[in-house]
Amino acid sequence: MKTALSILAHAGAFQTVSDFMPRWKSLGIPVIGYYPDAETSSAGFDEVRNIGESAHAGLKVFRRFLDVLQDRLIAGDEVLMIAEYDTVNLTDELPEWHPGWVTSYYVQAHSHDSVESEMQVCALSPWIMDAPTAAWFIVVAEGMLETDPDGKDVVGLLDRWIGQVLQKGNIPLFTKANLLGYPWHPGAVDRIKRMGYNWIHGWKTKEDFGG
């Protein structure tokens, strides 16, 4: 099975990338750094590739995510594993995946700017899918880029936009029990240890994990 861990990073994330690199390398697969055009990194990636424009939200972020997926398909990955730079594995266990499904930690939430809106799916980093699923995701997402991707429902946020793509494309979403996103609550460190969570998204320093 050909795969790699592809990290969406930027120059300002150097310290987090450096801290998490040993954990990513423990997986025993190539770790590819995806940086916006003209940015680079000396943090130890097996390869650094430049795709897209630097942005924190909106169409540029969506476009970059799709172009990274496409790049991994061209590279021949049979299973694509894409993660934001503030996502780290605590052991050397690869995320679980299933043909035809997308693995991601997800939550149900109201629209970003309204507590009265319908609940929507927020699919958080990491995102794991086989190549045929990634190809279908791209087809569905490309169509959605033509209809106000920065619209009111997602307000430019990648996790909410990915959730909408999954729903529109009828792509099943799977969350393995040891994924956790946004652990910004009291007792999170103890909960991670107690529940055996492995892939954690949302923290940026070793200190966040209790040192």
Side-chain angles (χ1 to χ4, degrees):
M1 177 187 72
K2 183 177 180 181
T3 190
L5 177 61
S6 300
I7 301 295
L8 304 177
H10 58 86
F14 177 81
Q15 190 57 57
T16 299
V17 169
S18 297
D19 284 350
F20 290 174
M21 185 64 70
R23 297 301 325 135
W24 297 334
K25 287 291 186 74
S26 75
L27 297 168
I29 60 175
V31 183
I32 314 299
Y34 278 90
Y35 282 75
D37 292 339
E39 292 189 11
T40 188
S41 172
S42 58
F45 285 109
D46 295 304
E47 181 181 357
V48 172
R49 298 182 64 79
N50 294 101
I51 286 183
E53 298 180 60
S54 181
H56 296 291
L59 178 59
K60 292 178 181 179
V61 173
F62 305 156
R63 178 76 268 161
R64 184 172 174 231
F65 181 76
L66 292 184
D67 289 347
V68 169
L69 286 180
Q70 185 65 53
D71 195 61
R72 295 321 305 165
L73 290 176
I74 293 171
D77 284 5
E78 298 170 272
V79 176
L80 289 72
M81 295 193 299
I82 316 296
E84 294 178 323
Y85 72 92
D86 57 348
T87 305
V88 67
N89 52 299
L90 302 183
T91 74
D92 59 0
E93 179 185 357
L94 291 168
E96 188 172 329
W97 66 277
H98 298 279
W101 293 63
V102 169
T103 295
S104 167
Y105 181 81
Y106 74 94
V107 296
Q108 295 277 350
H110 293 286
S111 178
H112 186 62
D113 61 351
S114 173
V115 296
E116 299 177 354
S117 63
E118 294 183 3
M119 299 293 282
Q120 58 187 211
V121 172
C122 304
L124 305 174
S125 173
W127 304 280
I128 304 95
M129 62 195 87
D130 62 354
T133 304
W136 175 236
F137 182 99
I138 292 171
V139 169
V140 176
E142 289 284 3
M144 292 179 63
L145 287 180
E146 299 174 1
T147 56
D148 191 15
D150 296 335
K152 183 177 178 59
D153 287 343
V154 297
V155 197
L157 300 179
L158 180 61
D159 52 14
R160 294 166 186 268
W161 181 72
I162 289 175
Q164 289 196 343
V165 174
L166 296 176
Q167 290 181 311
K168 182 170 183 178
N170 292 317
I171 304 172
L173 178 59
F174 172 78
T175 288
K176 193 178 186 328
N178 69 356
L179 273 64
L180 180 65
Y182 294 151
W184 303 332
H185 55 268
V189 173
D190 289 338
R191 183 180 176 217
I192 289 169
K193 294 176 180 178
R194 183 175 69 255
M195 301 298 293
Y197 292 118
N198 182 38
W199 286 83
I200 312 298
H201 165 258
W203 281 342
K204 295 179 172 64
T205 70
K206 292 179 180 179
E207 288 71 26
D208 291 328
F209 292 88

